[in-house]
Amino acid sequence: RTYHARSGDWLKSKRYIHRIDTVPRKGSTTVCVPLPASGAYAITVQHDVNGNRDTDMSIDGAGVSNNPKLGTILGLVPRPPSLDKARFTAGEGITRMTIAIQYL
């Protein structure tokens, strides 16, 4: 999911700009994410390992723009990174980035 880099939008239900679904391949998967204009954004990626369209914390992976470490609360509940750690600036044209998937 792609978000405007605003605290009122970050990780809020139905506040994302768009969602892109794709089938991952072994190794790496390349996705082109269209943005409405240059500016500040943040991206989240989820690997739904079993394809059930639900978040299964024990097996699914996740990643965030700028690759901040994903934490947990008491080792059980995932804690997403702050917007400041995920924010990036997209310019005119293509902005390339690599987002690493982390498994807790």
Side-chain angles (χ1 to χ4, degrees):
R1 294 184 178 148
T2 305
Y3 298 87
H4 288 285
R6 299 185 291 235
S7 60
D9 293 335
W10 177 233
L11 301 177
K12 302 286 191 291
S13 179
K14 300 181 183 169
R15 297 293 301 186
Y16 54 88
I17 300 167
H18 54 71
R19 171 183 167 157
I20 297 173
D21 292 325
T22 187
V23 177
R25 297 173 297 175
K26 186 174 184 168
S28 65
T29 301
T30 301
V31 177
C32 182
V33 178
L35 300 173
S38 59
Y41 297 93
I43 294 177
T44 63
V45 177
Q46 179 182 350
H47 178 200
D48 184 5
V49 173
N50 61 10
N52 68 353
R53 299 187 67 80
D54 199 10
T55 301
D56 302 310
M57 301 319 299
S58 62
I59 60 171
D60 289 346
V64 178
S65 46
N66 295 326
N67 296 311
K69 183 174 180 354
L70 303 181
T72 59
I73 299 170
L74 300 175
L76 302 170
V77 180
R79 188 184 72 213
S82 69
L83 174 59
D84 288 338
K85 291 182 179 178
R87 176 185 284 117
F88 70 95
T89 301
E92 296 294 327
I94 296 173
T95 301
R96 295 184 189 278
M97 77 170 55
T98 299
I99 298 176
I101 305 296
Q102 302 171 51
Y103 298 85
L104 300 177

